[in-house]
């Protein structure tokens, strides 16, 4: 059994670390790890910490127990206009979490340990990779329970499984086994439940041996294709970051500070 150390205490989630891996666990097993606004706020806070912390290279998202990864929005707090927070404000702040998962320049792996249903299904879809246990079940429920996600849960799902399958998943609201989800292309690997964490940690440790800048750029590139101007902005932002690391960019800044003309002639012009 590996030792996960707590990074920060929260009410609805566990936030732990093992080496360069951060693990965010939705800890509401009594409602099959359904999220309420507070759960999403806490996950957003944990994601912000993961983004800042240079010692964290991969993030694992999972649910507590062996029944559910996440069963979507907590139907007990669903009100008019969204999920009601502690101040009585209706929110759909899981969408902010989707954006954070897409935007963080580090891989996010869904470790699916049971039901990934409704908004919980969308959550695993939005993650960069999905590793599932054999008991996992996947599916959307929106059109059955008065909801839908027309964001990544539709468009990125279709990129993963194809348009026809995505329409089937949303129109029929059936459940699929982990094996079926793998065959459809929305799960990377299926393992016995007892192997789930070991397998996920092995994937993380392999990624941690790879070049972080290369991983960052490839995540940006794969996102940009779907994310339009925002995706291009994030890709372009990292191109600027790379440029700032070069002596050529520093020459411009140094020349300004030294009140001289910059000399860019010494820098190679690549074919
Ligand atoms: C997961 C299911 C299939 C499991 O069935 P099973 O094994 O028969 O167990 P149950 O007895 O049904 O459940 C066990 C206990 O857990 C509670 N519970 C389960 N799911 C929820 C939930 N979502 N909210 C609150 N409680 C839940 C049960 O009530 C039960 O507790 P007790 O015994 O005390 O009654 C089955 O449980 C199931 O189908 N669950 C509901 C799945 C669902 O419909 N989820 C909501 C779908 N909608 C969303 O997620 C909306 C998402 C959203 O906010 C959004 C909006 C806009 C854009 C994007 C999104 C997005 O999230 O992507």
């Amino acid at each position: 059994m590996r030792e996960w150390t707590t990074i920060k205490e929260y009410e609805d989630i566990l936030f732990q670390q093992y080496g360069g891996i951060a693990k965010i666990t939705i800890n509401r097993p009594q409602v099959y790890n359904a999220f309420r606004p507070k759960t999403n706020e806490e996950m957003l806070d944990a994601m912000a910490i993961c983004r800042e912390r240079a010692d964290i290279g991969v993030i694992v998202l999972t649910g507590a127990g062996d029944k559910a990864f996440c069963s979507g929005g907590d139907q007990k707090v669903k009100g008019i206009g969204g999920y009601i927070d502690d101040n009585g404000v209706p929110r759909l702040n899981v969408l902010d979490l989707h954006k954070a998962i897409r935007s963080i320049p580090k891989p996010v792996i869904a470790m699916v340990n049971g039901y990934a249903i409704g908004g919980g299904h969308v959550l695993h879809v939005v993650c960069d990779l999905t590793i599932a246990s054999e008991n996992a079940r996947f599916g959307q429920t929106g059109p059955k329970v008065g909801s839908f996600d027309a964001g990544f849960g539709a468009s990125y799902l279709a990129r993963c499984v194809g348009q026809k399958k995505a329409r089937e998943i949303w129109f029929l609201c059936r459940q699929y086994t982990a094996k079926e989800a793998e065959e459809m292309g929305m799960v990377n690997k299926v393992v016995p439940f007892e192997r789930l964490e070991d397998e996920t940690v092995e994937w993380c440790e392999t990624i941690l041996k790879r070049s972080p800048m290369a991983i960052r750029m490839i995540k940006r590139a794969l996102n940009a294709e779907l994310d339009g101007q925002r995706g291009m902005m994030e890709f372009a932002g990292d191109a600027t970051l790379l440029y700032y690391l070069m002596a050529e960019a520093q020459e411009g800044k140094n020349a300004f500070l030294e009140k001289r003309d910059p000399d860019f002639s010494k820098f190679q012009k690549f074919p």
Side-chain angles (χ1 to χ4, degrees), residues 147-164:
S147 173
F148 62 90
D149 175 24
F152 291 121
S155 56
Y156 187 44
L157 178 69
R159 293 290 170 99
C160 296
V161 303
Q163 283 281 343
K164 296 279 184 183

Side-chain angles (χ1 to χ4, degrees), residues 28-35 40 67-68 70-78 82-83 91-95 98 115-123 126 137 139-142 144-153 170 175:
R28 308 187 74 221
Q30 70 283 7
V31 287
Y32 276 30
N33 299 318
F35 53 76
N40 294 326
K67 296 284 187 288
C70 175
S71 62
D74 186 335
Q75 298 305 289
K76 296 184 176 92
V77 300
K78 192 173 181 192
Y83 294 85
R91 296 193 183 278
L92 286 174
N93 61 349
V94 75
L95 296 174
H98 296 173
Y115 285 109
I117 294 284
H121 188 255
V122 175
L123 260 190
V126 172
R137 291 287 175 277
Q140 292 300 154
T141 56
K144 207 164 62 177
V145 297
S147 173
F148 62 90
D149 175 24
F152 291 121
W170 274 104
Q175 286 180 13

Side-chain angles (χ1 to χ4, degrees), residues 130 132 138 160-162 165 169 176-190:
T130 297
F138 296 83
C160 296
V161 303
K165 271 289 172 193
I169 290 168
Y176 301 88
T177 64
K179 195 85 201 117
E180 288 169 327
E182 185 185 31
E183 283 161 6
M184 273 186 238
M186 61 178 176
V187 165
N188 295 89
K189 177 95 179 169
V190 181

